């Protein structure tokens, strides 16, 4: 009797439905495809990553809404559309090695990791780096490496990167990140001196030359610097 009960319990636990699946499908259709994102790999990643696992438990019900959400320490997880837009713009390929600056909750890193083979992500707030690392591990994301520290200097030891994504608003594009971008690579970064004049800027490195293009007006939390360095 006891073993039947245990087997039943196991089945129930193993096949717990993803209660948020419908919300996620609706999010992709109504917020992302409707605004013009077409890249299938990006759309599949957005349909797969359980966004509700990356927000504080008291705002889970709001996880799939058309807005950013607070993740503590004055930081935010970006609006789903912006996550998808920035992902698509990088024109990712399965064998890519990608660097993200601004891990936050780890959500964007998880989305990237569904598409590419290796993701390196740096977070300046130690507590967020630690919790994102734990969360990604728990959810089974094995191809993401979380680093705690100031992302301004990138990760020289793992460079060059096929693509770089910065998810905090910088005043200018950090030179070390330009240096660590592979020839032919793309970087997306919010740039602007105040949150009212920020734009997503697409950076391309071709024949060693840097080309930049302003894409969308955005509002990201500021790119900060570690004063110890
Ligand atoms: N990509 C995140 C959201 C980013 S919010 C997600 O998917 O949840 C921006 C994050 O950038 C914040 O957590 C902030 O602490 C971090 N940040 C700001 N300046 C940084 C820097 N110089 N290096 C690394 N992280 C930085």
């Amino acid at each position: 009797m006891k073993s039947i009960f245990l087997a039943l319990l196991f089945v129930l636990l193993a096949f717990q439905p993803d209660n948020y699946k419908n919300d996620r499908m609706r999010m992709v259709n109504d917020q992302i495809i409707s605004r013009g994102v077409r890249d299938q790999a990006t759309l599949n990643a957005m349909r797969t990553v359980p966004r509700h696992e990356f927000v504080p438990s008291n705002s889970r019900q709001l996880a799939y809404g058309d807005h950013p959400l607070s993740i503590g320490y004055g930081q935010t997880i970006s609006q789903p559309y912006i996550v998808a837009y920035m992902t698509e713009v990088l024109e990712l390929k399965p064998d890519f090695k990608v660097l993200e600056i601004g891990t936050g909750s780890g959500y964007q890193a998880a989305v990237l990791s569904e598409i590419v083979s290796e993701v390196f992500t740096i977070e300046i707030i130690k507590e967020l780096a630690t919790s994102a690392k734990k969360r990604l591990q728990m959810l089974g994301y094995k191809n993401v490496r979380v680093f705690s520290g100031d992302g301004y200097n990138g990760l020289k030891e793992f460079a060059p990167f096929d693509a770089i994504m910065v998810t905090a608003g910088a005043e200018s594009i950090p030179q070390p990140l330009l240096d660590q971008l592979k020839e032919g690579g793309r970087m997306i970064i919010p740039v602007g001196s105040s949150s009212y004049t920020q734009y997503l800027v697409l950076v391309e490195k071709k024949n060693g030359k840097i080309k930049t293009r302003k894409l969308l007006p955005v509002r990201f939390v500021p790119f900060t610097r570690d004063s110890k360095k």
Side-chain angles (χ1 to χ4, degrees), residues 74-119:
Q75 307 304 325
T76 55
I77 176 172
S78 303
Q79 180 189 2
Y81 167 62
I82 294 295
V83 172
Y85 180 87
M86 291 175 78
T87 306
E88 175 176 66
V89 138
L90 290 179
E91 298 184 355
L92 302 169
K93 297 203 175 69
D95 63 342
F96 271 17
K97 183 163 80 175
V98 179
L99 174 67
E100 180 199 22
I101 311 298
T103 315
S105 66
Y107 177 69
Q108 175 73 72
V111 168
L112 292 168
S113 84
E114 291 281 346
I115 306 174
V116 304
S117 65
E118 271 183 293
V119 179

Side-chain angles (χ1 to χ4, degrees), residues 51 54 71-73 75-78 83 100-109 121-125 128 147 149-152 165 167-169 220-226:
R51 183 171 162 95
F54 292 83
I71 53 170
Y73 302 93
Q75 307 304 325
T76 55
I77 176 172
S78 303
V83 172
E100 180 199 22
I101 311 298
T103 315
S105 66
Y107 177 69
Q108 175 73 72
T121 180
I122 316 177
E123 170 56 52
I124 202 163
I125 300 176
L128 285 177
F147 295 80
D150 184 352
Y152 182 91
M165 182 185 291
T167 62
F220 274 80
V221 295
F223 191 99
T224 53
R225 297 301 314 280
D226 186 346

Side-chain angles (χ1 to χ4, degrees), residues 10-205:
F10 175 78
V11 168
L12 273 176
L13 288 175
F15 295 100
Q16 252 186 1
D18 178 351
N19 293 325
Y20 292 93
K21 195 163 178 206
N22 289 339
D23 291 357
R24 205 152 55 237
M25 299 304 137
R26 208 170 311 124
M27 168 191 87
V28 171
N29 289 331
D30 299 355
Q31 303 172 34
I32 298 173
I33 297 178
S34 66
R35 291 189 176 115
V37 174
R38 289 288 175 267
D39 177 54
Q40 283 308 316
T42 301
L43 296 175
N44 283 338
M46 300 297 296
R47 286 187 186 109
T48 308
V49 179
R51 183 171 162 95
H52 59 279
E53 300 279 6
F54 292 83
V55 303
S57 49
N58 59 1
S59 46
R60 277 192 161 195
Q61 299 300 331
L62 306 172
Y64 295 96
D66 194 9
H67 43 69
L69 276 172
S70 168
I71 53 170
Y73 302 93
Q75 307 304 325
T76 55
I77 176 172
S78 303
Q79 180 189 2
Y81 167 62
I82 294 295
V83 172
Y85 180 87
M86 291 175 78
T87 306
E88 175 176 66
V89 138
L90 290 179
E91 298 184 355
L92 302 169
K93 297 203 175 69
D95 63 342
F96 271 17
K97 183 163 80 175
V98 179
L99 174 67
E100 180 199 22
I101 311 298
T103 315
S105 66
Y107 177 69
Q108 175 73 72
V111 168
L112 292 168
S113 84
E114 291 281 346
I115 306 174
V116 304
S117 65
E118 271 183 293
V119 179
F120 295 82
T121 180
I122 316 177
E123 170 56 52
I124 202 163
I125 300 176
K126 205 160 184 244
E127 291 83 352
L128 285 177
T130 306
S131 58
K133 193 173 183 169
K134 272 201 204 129
R135 180 178 298 121
L136 289 162
Q137 250 167 19
M138 186 194 76
L139 294 170
Y141 289 98
K142 295 197 170 65
N143 57 342
V144 183
R145 288 177 68 174
V146 181
F147 295 80
S148 163
D150 184 352
Y152 182 91
N153 295 308
L155 283 174
K156 215 172 170 187
E157 59 276 42
F158 298 102
F161 297 95
D162 298 288
I164 299 178
M165 182 185 291
V166 181
T167 62
E171 276 185 32
S172 59
I173 306 170
Q175 186 61 43
L177 299 185
L178 291 172
D179 296 341
Q180 291 173 28
L181 187 62
K182 204 179 259 182
E183 169 61 30
R186 290 178 152 221
M187 171 174 8
I188 184 86
I189 175 170
V191 185
S193 47
S194 83
S195 60
Y196 295 98
T197 57
Q198 260 181 28
Y199 273 85
L200 276 182
V201 173
L202 174 65
V203 180
E204 288 175 278
K205 195 187 241 188

